[in-house]
Amino acid sequence: MAHIKPINPDLLTDSDVDYANFSCCGDEDLIFLRCPACGHLSVQCYECETWYVDLADTGRMESAYLSDDERLACPHCSVPFEDACHLMEGIVDRYLPTAAQVIAAGHGRHLARHLREQHGVLLPPST
């Protein structure tokens, strides 16, 4: 983990996701993504290219695998990301949210424990 290195320290990295909420390849390397056009939040596993396109339903997944001439397109507004290599250092800041943005969108439960505690995010009781 901690391979994603934004310049802005307020942006979330791969150590800021609660990995217990996601399951794909068994070697999950997860990062929050935020569409620059509409602000839609999603999570991508950059190990296997699984893309969790609906954080209210983490069972909705798509492939984020791209060929050289493709770009991810937001699952909400369909606007393609400007950069094909959206997770590269120096570029990734355009596509990462802050903890406050994740919480405001109602997805604070997907934040890693240290951020939930820091921001006072309460998890619903287990059923």
Side-chain angles (χ1 to χ4, degrees):
M1 285 200 313
H3 295 102
I4 305 298
K5 308 243 186 267
I7 295 167
N8 180 346
D10 293 332
L11 298 175
L12 300 177
T13 69
D14 42 346
S15 63
D16 296 325
V17 179
D18 184 346
Y19 281 57
N21 297 331
F22 302 91
S23 179
C24 48
C25 63
D27 191 25
E28 285 83 3
D29 287 316
L30 304 173
I31 189 75
F32 284 101
L33 295 177
R34 183 174 185 269
C35 173
C38 74
H40 178 78
L41 296 171
S42 58
V43 167
Q44 179 184 347
C45 175
Y46 60 87
E47 179 67 30
C48 70
E49 299 302 333
T50 296
W51 190 19
Y52 299 89
V53 296
D54 182 353
L55 295 184
D57 178 5
T58 58
R60 287 196 51 214
M61 297 174 269
E62 295 180 11
S63 175
Y65 179 78
L66 304 170
S67 65
D68 291 340
D69 60 342
E70 292 180 305
R71 297 196 177 7
L72 283 184
C74 175
H76 182 72
C77 72
S78 301
V79 172
F81 286 12
E82 186 177 324
D83 302 287
C85 299
H86 59 279
L87 297 179
M88 282 185 54
E89 194 170 336
I91 293 173
V92 72
D93 287 57
R94 296 179 198 151
Y95 302 98
L96 300 179
T98 64
Q101 290 169 325
V102 171
I103 293 165
H107 302 301
R109 69 189 174 284
H110 296 305
L111 291 170
R113 182 181 200 160
H114 69 277
L115 287 173
R116 289 194 315 262
E117 290 174 353
Q118 178 182 344
H119 292 275
V121 174
L122 301 175
L123 295 179
S126 299
T127 56

